[in-house]
Amino acid sequence: MKVAVLGAGAIGAYVGAALHRAGADVHLIARGPHLAAMRQYGVRVRSPRGDFTAHPRATDDPAEVGPSDYVFLGLKATSYAACGPLIEPLLHDTTAIVAAQNGIPWWYFHRHGGPWDGRRLESVDPQGAVSAVLAPDRAVGCVVYAATELEQPGVVRHVEGTRFSIGEPGRGVSARCLTLSEAMRAGGLKCPVEPDLRRDIWLKLLGNISFNPISALARATMRQMCLHGGTRQVIETMMTETLAVAAALGCAVGVSIERRLAGAERVGDHRTSTLQDLERGKPLELDVLLSAVVELAEITGVPVPTLRTVHALSDLLALRSAA
């Protein structure tokens, strides 16, 4: 099985290292000092589950990799529309694109069924720019429950969690998902194939839609946000509104907000990916988190006043940080 990891940052390099350890033919695509370090020393994983080093191939040129069976997409969703020249050399007729993104994916209504089947969301697929590059038929959904940080070039700090839930946009269990799941599990990761991944998307989004923008606005860690009474109340309200939108779309998440908050508090003083991006001067990946759910709320007629307020504040922060 040949796997190309396009955007081998903290999550991409972690997955690539695990798959390589399991015997897959893995190619990491990265750049800069991180690429140089991986070439020289391999991917060094520091984890409470045990440290290890893997030596998959690493390059900055997808043409050197060539057509692959799976492309694990570790890029930020803000980069999807422009990634055509990078991903094109990696594709053959049946290449699956496994997008490890937070939030609402560009393929959300692909084979969804019902009144919204095939609908395009402008917030995540403006004018179809993402679908033109990443064909929805190639998509394998992936919900990441692992927390990682790039401690230094070539060194991934695994904070907690090893679960990567995958599934088909059209529901059901496919051979390509089962094959990938087996390889991921052989590398020491949890990789359940979900008959309907949209439930997992909303479950993960409960945390991302609230903790990520608030962490950037307050420069706070997961634990700090949970322990601050006022912030905790705002997060609870955001989660309640998000569950209402999911329910209007026919998706019952089936988890209590208190349980979700307790899980976040256990993560400790972890900085969300949005806060890390803000600190590093990178674009903030908020469209797929907040903007998409606000758009879905408009489609379904669900009132989401707190989400709209936090969206306005975080959108201004994103614009100012990009200036």
Side-chain angles (χ1 to χ4, degrees):
M1 183 175 77
K2 184 175 179 180
V3 181
V5 180
L6 180 57
I11 282 291
Y14 178 59
V15 169
L19 287 170
H20 181 267
R21 189 166 59 162
D25 179 16
V26 177
H27 301 255
L28 306 180
I29 302 168
R31 61 186 178 183
H34 181 48
L35 171 61
M38 291 191 294
R39 280 174 163 167
Q40 184 170 359
Y41 303 109
V43 180
R44 291 164 287 173
V45 177
R46 305 289 180 256
S47 171
R49 294 168 54 86
D51 299 347
F52 70 95
T53 300
H55 296 270
R57 295 182 180 90
T59 181
D60 60 358
D61 185 3
E64 290 183 4
V65 179
S68 305
D69 301 311
Y70 296 88
V71 175
F72 187 89
L73 204 57
L75 302 172
K76 294 290 186 181
T78 51
S79 302
Y80 286 0
C83 77
L86 295 174
I87 203 166
E88 190 62 33
L90 305 174
L91 304 179
H92 58 55
D93 289 346
T94 60
T95 300
I97 297 173
V98 185
Q101 71 163 89
N102 289 324
I104 302 296
W106 81 99
W107 54 260
Y108 187 84
F109 284 124
H110 180 61
R111 297 184 178 174
H112 180 276
W116 299 293
D117 186 62
R119 182 163 184 150
R120 175 166 50 82
L121 293 173
E122 282 297 318
S123 51
V124 299
D125 189 13
Q127 298 182 330
V130 176
S131 293
V133 173
L134 307 174
D137 280 334
R138 292 189 182 274
V140 168
C142 179
V143 179
V144 178
Y145 293 96
T148 60
E149 294 183 12
L150 200 59
E151 193 168 80
Q152 64 185 69
V155 180
V156 175
R157 171 66 61 182
H158 172 228
V159 180
E160 61 97 29
T162 60
R163 181 178 165 190
F164 293 76
S165 297
I166 62 174
E168 293 285 347
R171 302 179 177 86
V173 176
S174 66
R176 65 181 182 175
C177 282
L178 291 172
T179 299
L180 178 60
S181 173
E182 182 179 353
M184 296 275 275
R185 288 187 287 110
L189 305 176
K190 296 177 182 177
C191 189
V193 180
E194 300 293 345
D196 188 352
L197 191 69
R198 288 176 179 85
R199 178 187 175 277
D200 279 68
I201 289 172
W202 286 101
L203 177 61
K204 177 73 184 295
L205 185 55
L206 273 185
N208 290 140
I209 198 173
S210 50
F211 288 111
N212 285 52
I214 296 295
S215 71
L217 290 165
R219 309 301 201 274
T221 66
M222 298 287 281
R223 179 175 174 275
Q224 290 166 343
M225 287 182 283
C226 288
L227 294 181
H228 184 272
T231 301
R232 187 184 183 99
Q233 186 173 1
V234 171
I235 288 170
E236 288 178 357
T237 303
M238 294 177 74
M239 288 184 174
T240 299
E241 292 178 1
T242 301
L243 288 174
V245 176
L249 291 167
C251 190
V253 178
V255 66
S256 73
I257 290 175
E258 274 304 315
R259 181 180 174 187
R260 192 70 181 83
L261 285 166
E265 189 174 339
R266 284 195 299 271
V267 174
D269 286 316
H270 172 66
R271 296 170 303 140
T272 70
S273 59
T274 303
L275 178 55
Q276 292 179 51
D277 287 342
L278 179 66
E279 292 173 342
R280 294 168 182 165
K282 295 182 177 180
L284 305 188
E285 192 181 32
L286 293 173
D287 286 345
V288 295
L289 302 180
L290 265 173
S291 302
V293 177
V294 169
E295 184 177 351
L296 289 168
E298 292 173 354
I299 291 171
T300 56
V302 175
V304 289
T306 304
L307 290 180
R308 290 182 183 278
T309 299
V310 175
H311 175 248
L313 294 171
S314 57
D315 186 54
L316 178 58
L317 174 64
L319 290 172
R320 286 179 57 83
S321 65

